[in-house]
Amino acid sequence: MPLRLTPLEILLARLNILPLPLLDAPLAQGISKALVTACELGIFDTLDKQALPLKALAEKLECHPQGLQLLLNLLISAGYLRYRAGLYSNTRIARRWLTSGSAANVAPYVIHSPDIVAIWDHLPEVIRTNQQAMRMPYEEDVSSPEAYRLLARHYAGLAALAMALGGEVVYRVPLPPGASRLLDVGGSHAAYSVLFCRKYAELQATILDIQPGIEAGQRTAAQVQMQERLSFVCGDIVRDDFHKQFPESFDLALYFHIAHLLPAELNQQILHKVALSLKPGGVLAFVDQITDRTYGLRLSSLMVQLMHLTMTTVGGTCYQFSTVRSWLEQAGMEQVRSHRLLTPGAVLITARKKG
C-alpha cells in the first residue's frame, strides 16, 4: 500500500497462484526501507517544490544519479512517485502524507518506523516466554547521543501522527459548556493539545509529562507558535499525586495512548487521579487500541493485534472496552461511551465526571 495489483495479479492472488507471503516478506520490508530512505533524503519535500529531471534532483540531494535512479524507480512502482516527460514528481499520496508542507505529513513517523521494527526483533523470545524483552525509549538513559536521538525520533514521530490524524478525535470529543482548562496527561509532544486549542479559542492546555516529553512538547509549541496557550508541568503520572498540584480543576482531560504502556492496576490508579483533577461534569477523553472494538475491519484488527504483540514486547498490553469502562466508573466517571474512528485500530472513549 499504496502498491496496487493489476487485474491479472488480483486474479492470480484469488486463485492462490501468486505467492502472497512474498508480498509481506521480503517485498514489504524492502518498500519500507526505500520509503524511510526517501524521507531521510528529503526526496518528497524536494519534489513538492517542483518536478525535476534526474540530474537536477541528484544535485539537490547530493546523490549519485544512477544510485538515486534505482530508488526512484522503486518508488514509482510502489505508487509514491511519477515519471513523465523526463520529470519526477510526487503522487497525490506522497503530497498529502509525506511532505512537510502538508498538515497530514507523517514522514517523521516513517523515519521513526525502523525503531519500531527493531522491537519486533524480539518477537521469537516474547512468543516463547510471554515476557517483556526490552524497554521503551523514554525508560532508557538518554545521556548517550544515540539514545537521545532515538527518543527525539520517537516523540517527533508521535507528534506527526497526532497532528495528521488527531483532528477527528477533537471533533468527536464533547466539551462542557464554557470549557477553558485542558489537562493532557502524559501528553509529551503536545500535538493533541495544539489541535484542541486551535479548535477552541478559549482553551488553555497544561501538558503533564516527564522531562524528555516536556522538551518535545515545547518544541511543538514553538513550531506552531502556541507557547502562550500551552503550559508544561514536569511530573511522573504514575508516582506523583498530580491532582494536588493544580490550584484549579480542569474541564477536560486527555489520556491518549498511555493505557497500552501500563499494567491494569496502574492505569486504574492514574485514571482515578485524572478524575480528581476534573470539575464536576468535566469530560475525560481516552484514546487507545481496544481489542474488542475493531468493528469487523481487517485493517483495524491487524493494527490492534500487531500493537498488542508489540506492547507485550516492551512490557505493556492492550485492553478490552469493558476493562477501560470499569476503570472509569470506579474513578467516579459516568456516561462512558466508545466512539469508532477512521484511524485503523484506534478507539475514542469518553466519560463525564459525576456531579
Side-chain angles (χ1 to χ4, degrees):
M1 304 172 79
L3 179 67
R4 294 182 178 90
L5 301 181
T6 66
L8 175 59
E9 290 165 336
I10 293 172
L11 176 62
L12 293 175
R14 288 178 177 173
L15 294 174
N16 205 20
I17 296 173
L18 195 67
L20 292 179
L22 296 183
L23 301 186
D24 294 325
L27 183 60
Q29 291 94 324
I31 294 173
S32 173
K33 182 60 179 177
L35 189 58
V36 171
T37 302
C39 291
E40 290 175 335
L41 289 173
I43 287 176
F44 302 113
D45 274 341
T46 302
L47 293 177
D48 194 43
K49 299 179 179 66
Q50 63 179 121
L52 290 170
L54 176 62
K55 183 177 179 181
L57 182 58
E59 289 176 354
K60 286 182 177 291
L61 299 176
E62 299 180 350
C63 294
H64 191 286
Q66 288 179 299
L68 179 60
Q69 188 174 37
L70 295 174
L71 177 58
L72 298 178
N73 288 342
L74 195 158
L75 293 170
I76 291 168
S77 296
Y80 291 103
L81 294 182
R82 287 196 187 92
Y83 182 71
R84 291 177 181 171
L87 299 175
Y88 293 93
S89 62
N90 292 329
T91 62
R92 58 193 296 268
I93 293 173
R95 286 196 302 272
R96 174 170 171 77
W97 298 107
L98 297 171
T99 59
S100 56
S102 169
N105 177 34
V106 296
Y109 194 82
V110 172
I111 292 171
H112 167 52
S113 64
D115 303 321
I116 302 172
V117 172
I119 296 176
W120 300 335
D121 289 340
H122 297 275
L123 288 188
E125 176 187 350
V126 172
I127 292 165
R128 291 190 181 99
T129 66
N130 195 37
Q131 298 294 319
Q132 177 180 356
M134 62 178 293
R135 300 193 299 178
M136 289 295 290
Y138 48 77
E139 297 177 304
E140 302 289 351
D141 180 7
V142 296
S143 59
S144 74
E146 178 52 36
Y148 183 84
R149 286 193 293 269
L150 171 62
L151 194 59
R153 286 196 303 270
H154 174 75
Y155 283 128
L158 295 182
L161 204 61
M163 294 294 281
L165 303 176
E168 180 188 14
V169 174
V170 176
Y171 176 78
R172 300 291 293 277
V173 173
L175 260 66
S180 62
R181 287 173 52 78
L182 179 157
L183 176 63
D184 195 348
V185 180
S188 62
H189 50 73
Y192 287 110
S193 288
V194 167
L195 293 174
F196 273 97
C197 287
R198 280 179 175 172
K199 182 172 176 61
Y200 300 100
E202 69 280 7
L203 212 55
Q204 296 281 331
T206 299
I207 296 89
L208 172 65
D209 211 324
I210 57 176
Q211 187 57 39
I214 293 298
E215 292 174 4
Q218 289 171 335
R219 287 194 293 270
T220 300
Q223 289 167 3
V224 299
Q225 299 181 343
M226 205 173 277
Q227 297 97 320
E228 293 182 0
R229 296 182 60 194
L230 304 181
S231 60
F232 296 88
V233 175
C234 185
D236 187 323
I237 65 172
V238 174
R239 296 182 176 87
D240 296 349
D241 291 329
F242 57 81
H243 61 286
K244 299 178 180 178
Q245 295 179 241
F246 305 109
E248 295 182 58
S249 299
F250 294 87
D251 303 288
L252 171 65
L254 310 182
Y255 196 72
F256 286 4
H257 304 292
I258 302 296
H260 62 249
L261 301 171
L262 301 171
E265 60 272 17
L266 289 183
N267 277 306
Q268 187 169 358
Q269 292 170 16
I270 296 169
L271 287 169
H272 179 70
K273 292 185 284 189
V274 175
L276 290 174
S277 303
L278 287 169
K279 299 175 182 177
V283 171
L284 195 158
F286 176 111
V287 173
D288 218 302
Q289 285 74 30
I290 304 299
T291 57
D292 59 346
R293 287 292 189 274
T294 58
Y295 305 100
L297 300 174
R298 291 183 181 178
L299 186 55
S300 290
S301 179
L302 181 62
M303 296 289 285
V304 170
Q305 297 308 324
L306 189 57
M307 174 61 84
H308 200 169
L309 186 54
T310 303
M311 287 301 103
T312 301
T313 306
V314 296
T317 191
C318 295
Y319 297 96
Q320 293 185 341
F321 174 68
S322 60
T323 301
V324 178
R325 181 176 57 198
S326 70
W327 296 339
L328 294 170
E329 290 175 346
Q330 291 175 39
M333 307 297 294
E334 59 184 3
Q335 301 177 34
V336 181
R337 303 284 187 271
S338 67
H339 308 266
R340 179 175 173 178
L341 299 174
L342 293 177
T343 303
V347 174
L348 166 67
I349 300 174
T350 58
R352 194 174 297 274
K353 186 174 180 179
K354 295 178 181 178

